[in-house]
Amino acid sequence: PPVDEPAGPESTGGPAAGAEPSPEPEPEPEPEPEDTRSTHERLLSRLLPAEAIGFAVTRRERLVGWAWSIAVTVFAALLRFPGLGRPHELVFDETYYVKDAWSLLVHGYEANWSQDPNAQFAAGDTSGLQSSAEYFVHPQLGKWLIAWGIQLGGGVGSSAAWRLSAAVFGTLAVLLIARIARRLFSSNAWGVVAGLLLAVDGEAVVMSRVSLLDPFLMFFVLAAFGCLLLDREQSRRLLAARTAAMLDAGRELGWGPWLGWRWWRLAAAVLLGLACGVKWSGLYFFAVFGLLSVAWDLTARRAIGVRDWALAGLVKDGLVAGVAMSALVLVTYLGTWWSWFTHDGGWGRTWAADNPGQGVTWLPPALRSLLKFHQDMWSFHNGLESPHSYAAHPLGWIVQWRPTSFFYPPEISGLTGQEAIDACGASQCSQAITSLGNPVLWWAGAAALLVAVVWLVRYRDWRAAAVLSGIVAGWLPWFAYAHRTIFTFYSIAFTPWVVLTLVYVMTLVVGPPDPDNPRARRRALVGVGALVALVVGIGLYFYPIWAAWVVPWTFWHGHMWLQSWV
């Protein structure tokens, strides 16, 4: 059959040989999907991340969150309450606060004791309490909390009763941080991690098992921080709703809407006033948290499109917050002195009457006396330079360089002869209460602190500012007082924020779910899980020297990893 000839360009209509092909027309870009969200939804997405908007919206999610938070709190209680009365003697500064607490119950004010009354007191004999006023240098609320624990716990003869309030507040702090981290990171799992880390920290355990003022300070400032987190979320939801209503109604946005009374922020102010009623260092938390809260308000108004957001935020939010919070803190703080006001026998109570015409004369006599007393207390604190073998510069606190030894008797308390041999075998015994933070937690937390600072500066992550705020308030001010006698155990006030900073960096390492690379996230989860397990294991390993267990000397010595710990 005939062979078909190849078709030429004329027959095909194609280009001639060597000719440039005509360019194909570019496809028209697909139209972007129309944003069907309401004005309120669009504004809310600018103010809160998606995971926060949709977090814990179902009843089941909320129940799961509470169940896990309570579970980790029960675990913390098991490390704090058993053996709470061990040792049955006044430990470290318990010699001041526990006896003052009993004096408050008896007289309503702090009174003097006879010389060397501690052994009698431990035996339940309070006959050494006198009626003359004792000079004291801390506000009264923390001592009243100890006093109420003595009442509830069985009386002055029970050393467990002396420490009951500290154990309760220290345990509840674990519940608080679990709920706070859950809200901060929009995750039940991260809330449990934070609670677990605080549960096994040595500072937190020891300060829950001895009756000092600092665990109460820590509790109140942590609770205030939680209230401000709730205020941040609720105020932003309210801001989105009211701004959307203004825009939908065609009204000018101006400076944005007023948000009215913000009850969580007012609750935070009350809690900060209570913190100051325990120790004056609560003032630093008030200053830092107040500035942080106003900064959150400023960024919220900027995010919704207010042109003069800085001025608007300062006037509509900052001015109101400053006046309301300052007034509440002051009133609450003065309220913690109620027993001093109502008992003329307290130290300095009648100074105004005894010194007419002196001091701030326009104040009522009681407040004039209180102001003079505060001036004397300030002079004492600022000038306290008595040498102490466990005094520690604040620079070392963040790595627990020089922990405070609260208790280490030359002979094992209550054990002699065969009992001591049965407890220790042939070796020498030790029984210690060493206020040493969990080493792995604090060392990892110190590294996480640097990461959080970088993330704050580079990415302006509000969560970095939040977790660093407590460290700024609880740690940095002490550098101004490095000349006086101070101790590492003061770091309990900012211990929760060391935990939160470490958890924050863990969230950065793990990151959000990534369908394109799930293996990398699994590896990150394994690494983070290993670190958490290590912290828990180290906590259990160190627990005997936190809880005054009677152990062989070699066991105690094996825990002294650094010479500075001895």
Side-chain angles (χ1 to χ4, degrees):
V3 178
D4 292 334
E5 294 289 334
E10 293 81 8
S11 62
T12 61
E20 291 288 338
S22 59
E24 295 183 4
E26 294 183 2
E28 295 184 4
E30 295 185 6
E32 294 183 2
E34 183 181 354
D35 190 350
T36 59
R37 295 177 299 172
S38 66
T39 306
H40 174 243
E41 291 172 334
R42 289 197 299 272
L43 290 174
L44 190 59
S45 67
R46 298 182 193 175
L47 296 172
L48 293 173
E51 59 269 22
I53 295 174
F55 178 62
V57 294
T58 66
R59 185 170 179 266
R60 182 181 181 278
E61 288 177 318
R62 292 192 293 271
L63 289 175
V64 168
W66 274 109
W68 279 109
S69 299
I70 292 172
V72 76
T73 305
V74 171
F75 173 67
L78 294 176
L79 298 178
R80 285 154 174 78
F81 283 94
L84 187 59
R86 183 180 58 243
H88 186 69
E89 58 184 274
L90 294 169
V91 171
F92 201 65
D93 282 352
E94 284 185 337
T95 186
Y96 305 114
Y97 306 130
V98 172
K99 294 193 311 233
D100 280 352
W102 180 252
S103 179
L104 287 172
L105 286 175
V106 174
H107 293 309
Y109 59 89
E110 294 87 341
N112 283 307
W113 291 77
S114 60
Q115 191 172 5
D116 298 327
N118 287 5
Q120 288 180 315
F121 187 89
D125 181 0
T126 60
S127 60
L129 178 62
Q130 303 173 3
S131 59
S132 58
E134 178 191 38
Y135 178 65
F136 58 95
V137 294
H138 288 296
Q140 296 184 307
L141 179 59
K143 290 170 282 188
W144 269 113
L145 293 173
I146 296 170
W148 293 328
I150 293 174
Q151 279 188 316
L152 293 173
V156 72
S158 169
S159 50
W162 308 342
R163 301 162 186 152
L164 178 61
S165 292
V168 170
F169 277 74
T171 302
L172 290 178
V174 174
L175 177 62
L176 277 179
I177 198 172
R179 303 299 295 174
I180 287 169
R182 172 184 178 272
R183 178 68 57 181
L184 184 61
F185 304 117
S186 301
S187 166
N188 286 326
W190 290 122
V192 172
V193 170
L196 185 61
L197 294 181
L198 187 63
V200 297
D201 176 64
E203 288 279 4
V205 170
V206 170
M207 300 305 290
S208 299
R209 295 178 59 90
V210 295
S211 204
L212 273 62
L213 302 181
D214 302 81
F216 307 117
L217 169 67
M218 180 267 286
F219 176 86
F220 287 125
V221 295
L222 181 60
F225 179 73
C227 288
L228 290 176
L229 276 182
L230 289 172
D231 171 73
R232 180 186 186 275
E233 180 172 331
Q234 291 195 1
S235 64
R236 289 185 169 226
R237 290 182 181 274
L238 183 60
L239 181 63
R242 292 189 175 180
T243 303
M246 292 175 65
L247 294 175
D248 290 341
R251 294 167 54 193
E252 289 290 336
L253 186 58
W255 282 5
W258 288 94
L259 298 182
W261 292 106
R262 292 164 59 172
W263 299 108
W264 282 116
R265 187 148 71 180
L266 297 180
V270 172
L271 289 164
L272 290 167
L274 295 175
C276 296
V278 175
K279 272 192 166 184
W280 285 355
S281 46
L283 281 171
Y284 298 118
F285 288 89
F286 169 50
V288 173
F289 289 172
L291 292 174
L292 181 66
S293 180
V294 173
W296 286 342
D297 291 339
L298 294 177
T299 56
R301 292 190 181 271
R302 182 180 62 179
I304 62 169
V306 173
R307 186 178 61 183
D308 298 324
W309 55 270
L311 185 58
L314 289 175
V315 173
K316 285 198 167 185
D317 300 313
L319 182 61
V320 174
V323 172
M325 292 185 71
S326 297
L328 270 177
V329 168
L330 178 60
V331 170
T332 304
Y333 174 74
L334 291 176
T336 65
W337 287 84
W338 84 90
S339 64
W340 186 86
F341 282 121
T342 54
H343 292 84
D344 289 343
W347 182 273
R349 176 63 181 83
T350 60
W351 179 87
D354 299 336
N355 297 272
Q358 297 186 34
V360 183
T361 55
W362 56 267
L363 283 175
L367 289 179
R368 185 152 54 98
S369 298
L370 185 63
L371 179 59
K372 176 61 169 63
F373 190 8
H374 277 56
Q375 292 170 344
D376 293 342
M377 286 194 289
W378 168 254
S379 298
F380 172 87
H381 286 299
N382 198 43
L384 181 62
E385 298 181 8
S386 302
H388 197 286
S389 57
Y390 285 97
H393 192 281
L395 185 62
W397 296 0
I398 196 65
V399 292
Q400 298 291 294
W401 180 254
R402 183 59 171 162
T404 313
S405 177
F406 284 171
F407 178 75
Y408 192 97
E411 297 178 0
I412 301 304
S413 176
L415 293 182
T416 58
Q418 187 61 44
E419 289 181 331
I421 295 174
D422 292 341
C424 306
S427 62
Q428 181 183 352
C429 283
S430 289
Q431 186 182 25
I433 301 177
T434 306
S435 185
L436 168 67
N438 188 307
V440 175
L441 189 154
W442 280 83
W443 296 343
L449 172 63
L450 300 177
V451 176
V453 170
V454 171
W455 246 251
L456 174 61
V457 173
R458 183 174 180 182
Y459 299 107
R460 306 291 194 272
D461 189 343
W462 74 273
R463 297 177 304 164
V467 299
L468 292 172
S469 63
I471 299 176
V472 170
W475 182 35
L476 294 188
W478 286 106
F479 284 85
Y481 303 98
H483 62 279
R484 53 154 290 185
T485 308
I486 51 180
F487 301 93
T488 299
F489 75 84
Y490 295 172
S491 61
I492 185 60
F494 64 89
T495 298
W497 286 271
V498 174
V499 170
L500 290 173
T501 301
L502 180 56
V503 174
Y504 168 67
V505 173
M506 288 179 179
T507 67
L508 298 180
V509 171
V510 172
D514 185 1
D516 297 330
N517 193 8
R519 184 174 298 178
R521 191 169 191 266
R522 283 198 297 269
R523 287 196 297 266
L525 283 170
V526 170
V528 166
L531 177 58
V532 172
L534 178 61
V535 172
V536 173
I538 291 296
L540 297 178
Y541 173 71
F542 274 87
Y543 182 75
I545 70 166
W546 297 336
W549 283 17
V550 178
V551 296
W553 181 88
T554 53
F555 180 89
W556 169 84
H557 190 264
H559 289 68
M560 298 296 102
W561 293 355
L562 302 177
Q563 183 62 35
S564 60
W565 291 359
V566 178

